[in-house]
Amino acid sequence: MKYLIMILGILIVFGLTYLVSNDKRKIRYRPLIVMVILQVILAAVLLNTVVGSVVIKGISGVFEKLMEYAAEGVNFVFGGILNEGQFTFFLAVLLPIVFISALIGILQYFKILPFVIKYIGLVLSKVNGMGKLESYNAVASAVLGQSEVFISVKKQINLLPKHRLYTLCASAMSTVSMSIVGSYMQVLEPRYVVTALVLNLFGGFIITSILNPYIVEKEEDILQVQEEEKQSFFEMLGEYIMDGFKVAIVVAAMLIGFVAIIAMINGLFSGIFGVSFQQLLGYVFAPFAFIMGVPWKEAVDAGSIMATKMVSNEFVAMLELGKYSDLSSRTVGIISVFLVSFANFSSIGIISGAVKGLSEKQGNVVARFGLKLLYGATLVSVLSATVAGIFIK
């Protein structure tokens, strides 16, 4: 039964994507089939094999160590604020982003990350049938983040047609930045975070290949990566540290605002209709939770968490997931995979703003297809969670 629901879920995702496809005749099915098979194999390896357990343990171990090092800096500044054993989301989860951002800056400075991103992107372009720029951008988005990634390809931004620009923006919304992965692992099981990162990378190509199909001609298939301005090591380090701090503060501000607004709306709906706003959204999203593999009796609660992510952000939804102690481990696993992406309404503004900073014209283009961007990125999350659901017990 589980496998039938999974097949049905994948078909529904493909059907919903096909309905709004820009050009159904240009869809190339061979790369799609290859990428879906790759998704299934990777999910099986990561979630159901000894090799996968070792890989995830290794990755989570690295991030665990990094979070310990980050805690040294946080404790130096804020030590003594909390009693022994107390936990605060801002200090334990958000402020370590400052250290991870600095580490990314160091790897960028010594040309390690650009080399890795470029060549992984080139290998991916052979699999997904897309251009080198699109493949590079997908990998770079997962490392640099959804706004910073556009700076690295700013030489080409102004020259891109609408369909290629859409693919770049869809990649940015479907993934998450490396600077924030360690923070996710503080809230969710690391194996689900790692699985989501891998599956979303291919899922973004799959959904975009149906929703926005096109062929990049050989003469157009070029990649021009913008070199960062030459800075001294400590100039660069200071800049990345401040960037990380800004991200932490922005996420904290968004959480304060969204959690408060959702609480107020829930209170109003409960007072007027006898049911909270999140519960109401839960009924809307319950069918999607079910086709992802969530048992029907838990589908409304799962749908509520999914909707929370879309209308606010993934951190709000992750905290919400932690409140549902009665959900089965299978449901928690599937929803965890769904939550690891930037697919929410606020990301439309972040991405269009980032592009607008580089090109006013292209920024306006992105703003116009913003809702379609969110639609596609949400389907990427549904697809990843559905595939992962086959192997989550």
Side-chain angles (χ1 to χ4, degrees):
M1 185 66 181
K2 180 171 76 173
Y3 299 107
L4 284 174
I5 292 171
M6 180 274 294
I7 292 166
L8 177 66
I10 291 174
L11 290 174
I12 289 172
V13 169
F14 284 177
L16 289 171
T17 313
Y18 186 81
L19 278 175
V20 295
S21 175
N22 292 343
D23 192 340
K24 298 175 176 65
R25 291 170 299 178
K26 284 187 180 175
I27 297 172
R28 289 172 293 161
Y29 293 96
R30 187 178 174 181
L32 279 178
I33 294 165
V34 170
M35 286 189 285
V36 171
I37 291 169
L38 275 173
Q39 267 199 323
V40 173
I41 292 170
L42 289 166
V45 170
L46 289 170
L47 295 171
N48 254 16
T49 67
V50 176
V51 174
S53 297
V54 170
V55 169
I56 288 171
K57 195 173 179 182
I59 294 170
S60 63
V62 168
F63 276 102
E64 196 176 309
K65 269 292 174 198
L66 292 177
M67 297 303 273
E68 284 176 20
Y69 298 143
E72 292 290 326
V74 174
N75 289 338
F76 181 80
V77 177
F78 294 99
I81 288 180
L82 302 177
N83 294 323
E84 190 69 35
Q86 276 190 308
F87 174 86
T88 168
F89 189 83
F90 181 67
L91 297 185
V93 178
L94 296 185
L95 280 186
I97 293 170
V98 177
F99 168 65
I100 304 295
S101 179
L103 194 59
I104 288 171
I106 293 168
L107 293 172
Q108 283 278 94
Y109 186 82
F110 290 109
K111 311 293 185 198
I112 297 167
L113 275 184
F115 177 83
V116 172
I117 292 168
K118 185 174 182 178
Y119 286 98
I120 291 177
L122 288 173
V123 171
L124 279 176
S125 68
K126 305 295 182 188
V127 177
N128 60 34
M130 290 186 162
K132 292 172 188 170
L133 175 64
E134 286 83 348
S135 299
Y136 165 86
N137 189 81
V139 182
S141 295
V143 177
L144 304 176
Q146 64 178 339
S147 52
E148 294 86 348
V149 68
F150 295 106
I151 297 170
S152 68
V153 292
K154 66 181 179 182
K155 285 182 180 178
Q156 289 175 265
I157 284 286
N158 214 32
L159 307 171
L160 292 175
K162 181 182 174 181
H163 56 273
R164 294 192 75 186
L165 184 62
Y166 178 92
T167 300
L168 264 58
C169 295
S171 296
M173 194 182 278
S174 302
T175 55
V176 293
S177 64
M178 203 57 68
S179 64
I180 219 162
V181 168
S183 299
Y184 289 158
M185 288 181 179
Q186 299 286 94
V187 189
L188 304 175
E189 274 194 55
R191 69 190 189 119
Y192 299 132
V193 176
V194 175
T195 301
L197 289 173
V198 174
L199 296 185
N200 286 350
L201 187 61
F202 287 98
F205 292 132
I206 291 167
I207 297 300
T208 308
S209 295
I210 302 171
L211 197 150
N212 182 45
Y214 58 87
I215 296 170
V216 179
E217 300 300 333
K218 209 163 189 177
E219 61 272 13
E220 296 175 344
D221 193 15
I222 53 174
L223 174 61
Q224 293 178 305
V225 180
Q226 175 74 19
E227 293 286 333
E228 294 197 5
E229 287 180 24
K230 200 65 183 169
Q231 295 174 298
S232 72
F233 178 79
F234 289 103
E235 276 181 315
M236 171 281 300
L237 196 57
E239 190 176 297
Y240 272 87
I241 286 170
M242 286 310 298
D243 285 345
F245 185 67
K246 286 173 194 170
V247 170
I249 295 297
V250 167
V251 172
M254 297 278 274
L255 286 172
I256 292 167
F258 276 121
V259 170
I261 288 167
I262 288 171
M264 181 188 72
I265 295 171
N266 280 339
L268 289 171
F269 270 72
S270 295
I272 298 168
F273 305 109
V275 61
S276 74
F277 178 65
Q278 280 174 291
Q279 285 175 317
L280 207 61
L281 288 176
Y283 288 105
V284 176
F285 278 80
F288 292 98
F290 180 69
I291 64 166
M292 282 160 43
V294 172
W296 182 250
K297 63 180 179 180
E298 299 177 336
V300 174
D301 287 341
S304 174
I305 297 162
M306 291 165 65
T308 299
K309 179 214 174 180
M310 203 169 97
V311 299
S312 55
N313 66 38
E314 71 281 4
F315 270 123
V316 179
M318 287 173 191
L319 294 175
E320 199 65 31
L321 177 61
K323 296 176 185 176
Y324 287 86
S325 55
D326 55 340
L327 291 177
S328 65
S329 58
R330 175 171 167 76
T331 296
V332 170
I334 291 170
I335 296 303
S336 295
V337 173
F338 175 85
L339 294 182
V340 181
S341 84
F342 288 144
N344 57 62
F345 281 103
S346 58
S347 286
I348 299 173
I350 292 168
I351 291 171
S352 61
V355 175
K356 202 165 192 171
L358 301 170
S359 167
E360 181 84 20
K361 182 190 79 173
Q362 296 290 58
N364 292 332
V365 171
V366 174
R368 282 196 290 273
F369 60 55
L371 286 176
K372 197 167 187 178
L373 205 57
L374 178 59
Y375 181 83
T378 302
L379 288 174
V380 171
S381 294
V382 173
L383 179 63
S384 295
T386 305
V387 172
I390 309 166
F391 306 102
I392 297 173
K393 294 173 184 176

